[in-house]
Amino acid sequence: MNQQRRSLLKYSAVFSLMASTGLISVAQAQEWNKAAFEGKSLDDVFKVLGAGGADKSSAVTLNAPDIAENGAVVPVGITTTLKAEQMAILVEKNPSALAAQFFIPAGTDSFVTTRIKMGQTSNVYALVKADGKWNMAVKEVKVTLGGCGG
């Protein structure tokens, strides 16, 4: 199965599930940031998100294991003391750098958790947009068995 078909199936399933459970409306699902998910490098994704000036911040915490035995299911979370508007998880050495993007409704606790795929050992970036400014935290996660067929 080629990579584009795999990505299309993956994102279609996620957005369909979210729409069917009422987490997002059909109109919101159609507005997803395709260009950001197609970014091949960190710079591509930062440019599309408008996060070029993101600064490292102690207010952003990236929760990820030091060593992931299986790169197919790496648990990752972001917590912050900031009033987040958006959060994003990027994996520097994945074929598509943006692993997840979350829009945080006002009045909601600012944390997310998910599982991501990692093809190899890489830096993982947690981005948090608050008050119109992007902040970030970075952590290296070592992968012993790659989740992208490696």
Side-chain angles (χ1 to χ4, degrees), residues 1-17 32:
M1 181 181 305
N2 71 33
Q3 187 65 31
Q4 283 185 319
R5 183 173 178 203
R6 181 183 282 180
S7 295
L8 176 65
L9 290 173
K10 179 175 67 177
Y11 295 122
S12 296
V14 169
F15 285 108
S16 297
L17 181 63
W32 71 291

Side-chain angles (χ1 to χ4, degrees), residues 119-149:
Q120 59 184 307
T121 297
S122 176
N123 284 330
V124 177
Y125 291 76
L127 295 177
V128 173
K129 185 176 183 181
D131 296 325
K133 182 181 174 205
W134 287 94
N135 301 281
M136 69 177 176
V138 181
K139 181 177 183 178
E140 182 183 54
V141 177
K142 295 183 181 192
V143 175
T144 56
L145 177 63
C148 297

Side-chain angles (χ1 to χ4, degrees), residues 8-137:
L8 176 65
L9 290 173
K10 179 175 67 177
Y11 295 122
S12 296
V14 169
F15 285 108
S16 297
L17 181 63
M18 291 175 72
S20 67
T21 59
L23 292 175
I24 59 171
S25 69
V26 173
Q28 288 173 320
Q30 293 172 345
E31 295 175 3
W32 71 291
N33 197 345
K34 182 179 178 183
F37 282 97
E38 289 180 341
K40 300 298 180 201
S41 69
L42 291 177
D43 289 338
D44 292 346
V45 177
F46 282 4
K47 184 177 178 182
V48 172
L49 294 178
D55 295 322
K56 289 186 180 178
S57 172
S58 61
V60 178
T61 303
L62 173 62
N63 303 307
D66 294 332
I67 299 173
E69 292 183 19
N70 184 355
V73 285
V74 180
V76 177
I78 304 172
T79 57
T80 181
T81 56
L82 304 171
K83 292 184 178 183
E85 302 162 10
Q86 293 182 48
M87 294 182 173
I89 299 170
L90 286 74
V91 181
E92 187 173 17
K93 293 183 181 175
N94 271 5
S96 295
L98 182 60
Q101 182 180 18
F102 303 91
F103 293 88
I104 311 299
T108 306
D109 288 342
S110 299
F111 76 94
V112 296
T113 62
T114 189
R115 295 179 186 269
I116 62 171
K117 279 189 171 185
M118 294 181 65
Q120 59 184 307
T121 297
S122 176
N123 284 330
V124 177
Y125 291 76
L127 295 177
V128 173
K129 185 176 183 181
D131 296 325
K133 182 181 174 205
W134 287 94
N135 301 281
M136 69 177 176

